[in-house]
Amino acid sequence: MPSAMLTHAENTQTHALRSVAAVVDLVEEEALTNALPCRQNPADLWFAELPDEVEVAKSLCGPCPVREACLASALERGEPWGVWGGQLLVQGTVVPRKRPRGRPRKQEVAA
């Protein structure tokens, strides 16, 4: 009977250690998530209207450790717009840069 109790005690300890490990993993994951540029900067930046602000958001994504997964996930979900994984999406497609609002000039302006 003592060996059965030991086995139960070992199982309980193993379960407790797994629970602690799960909590540690969750805390580490949360710390990583909070360290991401999109968590440290205003959300509006990733959906900015001004081209300069969009470029700032794209540059902040550069060193992000989940940049590629972020972009892949956004494309898979068909995100309609915003900066995802360092790329600008417009109507679910990656575009090189955001154009300012309004119509483009028909003729070049003399400098």
Side-chain angles (χ1 to χ4, degrees):
M1 184 95 172
S3 65
M5 290 290 253
L6 184 59
T7 302
H8 176 68
E10 288 174 344
N11 286 340
T12 302
Q13 184 180 16
T14 301
H15 179 69
L17 289 175
R18 285 185 185 150
S19 295
V20 168
V23 169
V24 168
D25 288 344
L26 184 61
V27 167
E28 288 175 355
E29 183 178 325
E30 187 173 325
L32 172 64
T33 300
N34 289 334
L36 299 177
C38 56
R39 300 294 179 148
Q40 294 179 339
N41 293 282
D44 293 349
L45 183 62
W46 313 105
F47 302 96
E49 288 290 329
L50 299 174
D52 290 344
E53 290 177 352
V54 169
E55 292 304 316
V56 168
K58 287 168 58 175
S59 70
L60 290 172
C61 290
C64 182
V66 296
R67 181 175 44 100
E68 292 175 9
C70 177
L71 177 59
S73 179
L75 291 171
E76 184 179 306
R77 287 189 315 270
E79 287 291 341
W81 69 293
V83 174
W84 299 92
Q87 298 294 323
L88 174 62
L89 298 181
V90 175
Q91 297 179 351
T93 304
V94 174
V95 296
R97 69 181 89 61
K98 181 162 181 79
R99 292 178 45 193
R101 296 188 90 162
R103 297 178 70 180
R105 297 177 185 254
K106 291 184 178 183
Q107 296 177 356
E108 290 292 318
V109 175

